[in-house]
Amino acid sequence: MSRKQVFQFRDAPREMPAKVPLAERVGGDWHELYGRFGAAEASHQAGRCLDCGNPYCEAKCPVHNYIPNWLQLVQEGRLLEAAALCHETNPLPEMCGRVCPQDRLCEGACTLHDEFGAVTIGAVEKYIVDTAFAQGWRPDLSKVVATGKRVAVVGAGPAGLACADRLARAGVQATVFDRYEQIGGLLQFGIPSFKLDKSVIATRRAVLEGMGVAFRLGVEVGRDVGIETLLQDYDAVFLGLGAYRYTDGGLPGQDLPGVLPALPFLVQNGRIVGGDAPDGRPIAGWETALALPDLRGKRVVVLGGGDTGMDCVRSAIRLGAAQVTCAYRRDEANMPGSAREVANAREEGVQFLFNRQPLAILADAAGQACGVRVVETRLADADANGRRAAEPIAGSESILEADVVVIAFGFSPRAPAWLDALGVQAQANGRLQVGGNGRLPYQTGHDRLFAGGDCVRGADLVVTAVQEGRDAAASIVRLLRGAKAIPALLASA
């Protein structure tokens, strides 16, 4: 088939798949917000790509997907080749096509973005993989030679799954351990199903098992099996422990009834929407299940402007809250969350209060949370990192009335105590230290222990966890082939 018309973008406007109607969303519909392209729509949108000689979209993508190449394959109808090419760089492309903030990454860097509208890269990526799987395509491992090596992967989140995928492709038997009852980590429980349908995760599990990856779920390392046992039974161990430590902000009143930490709120909602009762099964970092209040008819205030905050406000809408407000201490331009998610939340009726810093959560006569005292802020000059601090404005305090307050200030990792005796060092913020001093990338202070994802980087995007799990697997394979450290020349670079 001939190459596309270079200027097709002029006649083909940017389009996304159809959304679930607004009335259904606010009425409690939890299905994925965006539908799926058909073959014609996907080809039409892929054809808008300019095929830049130096594609900015690839450079901005943390896993450096071959985006123009698989867009061209879609336009030519070579779907299975496109699926194979997607998987060359990204072990979880169907996940990233759904949950990546493309507006801040590949699409935000698209040459067409400002004047004509970026190519709908994420939606086409989702089309490629979903359709290929439906047609029976699976990764081709027919030329993989088994090495006889075995690696334990601790954590079935995006970093762990990406690591297991790459190990399987290298002929290494990967066994994934996770304390949750299903794979995916926060992909399964933390990200609402209106962004990522859980059947997508089930399909990926079947694909990985078909590649030879084994899962041991409901097994917590340090409680049900010791790290020493894993080091004895396996040739290496990868730690994809995530970041589950709650950032509470130290607000007075944060322990009041009616105040909910974001992560348990989302995890328990995920279990309920998935048809599971929240029966006390563990939530990482929490001892007992959270009793969720009935939000129907309630006023909900969510504190925090990241993607987790957007997941919380949009979940509250679907749970029947009468009024949902997001309060953020900086302005909209400085929100860490995806602009697309903010737009979707606003469309669904969420109210945003910018330049509002919470000071305390207030209680009524019955001891129940009834509001948040906030102060208006202004932004100071940017610091060395380009971040502008929010400075309170004297005399501008006010109260936001609320029946339920959700705290979504983010999460940080916590190094487990069982690593102490193994020479694995952690920073003061809980992040595990890896690499450096001649060690392999993602190798910890213990030669056969590797780590990646949020437990190393801190809470970040799904795609960055995928990238680190993928690249850590490459280091593990090098170790298993006899490499003890990176060459001296590279170590000094």
Side-chain angles (χ1 to χ4, degrees):
M1 186 176 291
S2 62
R3 297 283 290 179
K4 61 180 178 292
Q5 296 295 320
V6 175
F7 298 108
Q8 183 171 326
F9 67 89
R10 291 180 173 176
D11 302 319
R14 169 186 166 88
E15 293 181 354
M16 286 287 288
K19 292 183 180 181
V20 173
L22 179 60
E24 295 180 21
R25 284 181 262 157
V26 299
D29 188 292
W30 291 83
H31 291 97
E32 281 190 3
L33 174 62
Y34 293 98
R36 301 179 182 179
F37 280 142
E41 294 89 349
S43 176
H44 198 58
Q45 290 300 306
R48 299 182 70 246
C49 176
L50 292 174
D51 194 12
C52 303
N54 183 23
Y56 300 110
C57 56
E58 283 190 19
K60 192 68 172 179
C61 173
V63 293
H64 303 304
N65 283 325
Y66 304 130
I67 295 169
N69 304 74
W70 45 252
L71 289 173
Q72 178 65 27
L73 290 171
V74 168
Q75 192 187 13
E76 295 175 359
R78 297 158 64 185
L79 176 71
L80 302 187
E81 293 175 63
L85 189 60
C86 283
H87 282 80
E88 282 192 20
T89 52
N90 189 348
L92 304 177
E94 76 284 14
M95 313 285 187
C96 294
R98 288 168 162 85
V99 304
C100 270
Q102 286 95 3
D103 55 298
R104 285 163 38 200
L105 298 174
C106 55
E107 294 181 11
C110 178
T111 303
L112 298 176
H113 179 272
D114 292 339
E115 189 171 354
F116 295 96
V119 177
T120 47
I121 296 168
V124 175
E125 183 177 35
K126 170 181 165 180
Y127 158 78
I128 291 170
V129 184
D130 287 357
T131 308
F133 281 164
Q135 293 181 8
W137 178 88
R138 293 294 184 269
D140 182 8
L141 302 188
S142 60
K143 297 181 181 180
V144 172
V145 177
T147 63
K149 301 295 186 179
R150 303 171 68 238
V151 171
V153 175
V154 182
L161 297 180
C163 183
D165 172 278
R166 284 315 192 245
L167 291 172
R169 291 169 183 267
V172 177
Q173 170 62 54
T175 300
V176 183
F177 295 79
D178 198 277
R179 66 183 294 172
Y180 282 120
E181 66 273 14
Q182 298 185 51
I183 76 163
L186 295 185
L187 290 170
Q188 175 70 40
F189 298 108
I191 295 178
S193 56
F194 54 75
K195 288 173 62 176
L196 175 62
D197 190 277
K198 305 316 171 187
S199 65
V200 175
I201 302 173
T203 297
R204 176 54 65 177
R205 177 177 178 177
V207 170
L208 287 168
E209 289 176 331
M211 296 169 66
V213 176
F215 292 97
R216 290 190 58 189
L217 304 178
V219 177
E220 181 177 349
V221 174
R223 183 191 65 187
D224 304 311
V225 61
I227 186 65
E228 297 83 0
T229 300
L230 296 184
L231 288 168
Q232 177 181 332
D233 294 346
Y234 295 86
D235 297 290
V237 176
F238 173 76
L239 305 175
L241 304 175
Y244 292 92
R245 182 165 58 180
Y246 168 46
T247 302
D248 59 26
L251 291 176
Q254 66 185 22
D255 296 324
L256 289 169
V259 180
L260 308 175
L263 182 56
F265 170 68
L266 292 171
V267 169
Q268 294 294 61
N269 270 326
R271 284 174 167 160
I272 293 170
V273 172
D276 295 332
D279 55 6
R281 284 170 296 177
I283 297 171
W286 300 85
E287 296 301 324
T288 59
L290 179 72
L292 294 179
D294 186 347
L295 299 189
R296 288 176 293 182
K298 301 289 181 63
R299 299 164 299 179
V300 177
V301 171
V302 175
L303 305 177
D307 286 337
T308 298
M310 297 308 99
D311 291 344
C312 290
V313 294
R314 299 182 64 204
S315 293
I317 287 288
R318 286 161 175 77
L319 291 168
Q323 177 182 307
V324 180
T325 302
C326 175
Y328 180 59
R329 61 179 175 164
R330 295 184 175 90
D331 60 12
E332 185 167 4
N334 284 278
M335 285 186 76
S338 162
R340 182 176 61 193
E341 289 303 301
V342 173
N344 286 329
R346 187 174 274 126
E347 182 181 74
E348 291 168 5
V350 175
Q351 300 176 23
F352 287 87
L353 281 178
F354 297 106
N355 297 107
R356 299 294 196 283
Q357 181 170 317
L359 300 176
I361 299 172
L362 309 178
D364 59 18
Q368 181 82 16
C370 67
V372 183
R373 186 189 304 120
V374 298
V375 63
E376 294 184 27
T377 65
R378 56 174 165 254
L379 296 181
D381 293 336
D383 60 18
N385 297 319
R387 191 68 163 157
R388 301 178 66 185
E391 297 180 340
I393 299 174
S396 64
E397 293 187 13
S398 61
I399 294 175
L400 305 179
E401 295 183 346
D403 304 303
V404 175
V405 179
V406 180
I407 298 178
F409 291 153
F411 313 98
S412 59
R414 175 186 285 119
W418 41 261
L419 285 176
D420 293 345
L422 298 175
V424 177
Q425 296 180 321
Q427 302 176 48
N429 57 16
R431 300 180 189 178
L432 300 183
Q433 293 184 346
V434 298
N437 298 320
R439 306 190 73 76
L440 292 165
Y442 303 101
Q443 189 176 34
T444 70
H446 188 289
D447 286 348
R448 293 193 293 120
L449 273 175
F450 293 74
D454 288 359
C455 67
V456 169
R457 178 187 289 268
D460 206 334
L461 303 175
V462 168
V463 68
T464 55
V466 168
Q467 173 256 311
E468 295 206 343
R470 177 197 70 180
D471 294 350
S475 288
I476 293 171
V477 171
R478 289 183 63 187
L479 174 77
L480 300 182
R481 289 175 177 169
K484 300 299 183 184
I486 60 176
L489 180 63
L490 295 178
S492 61

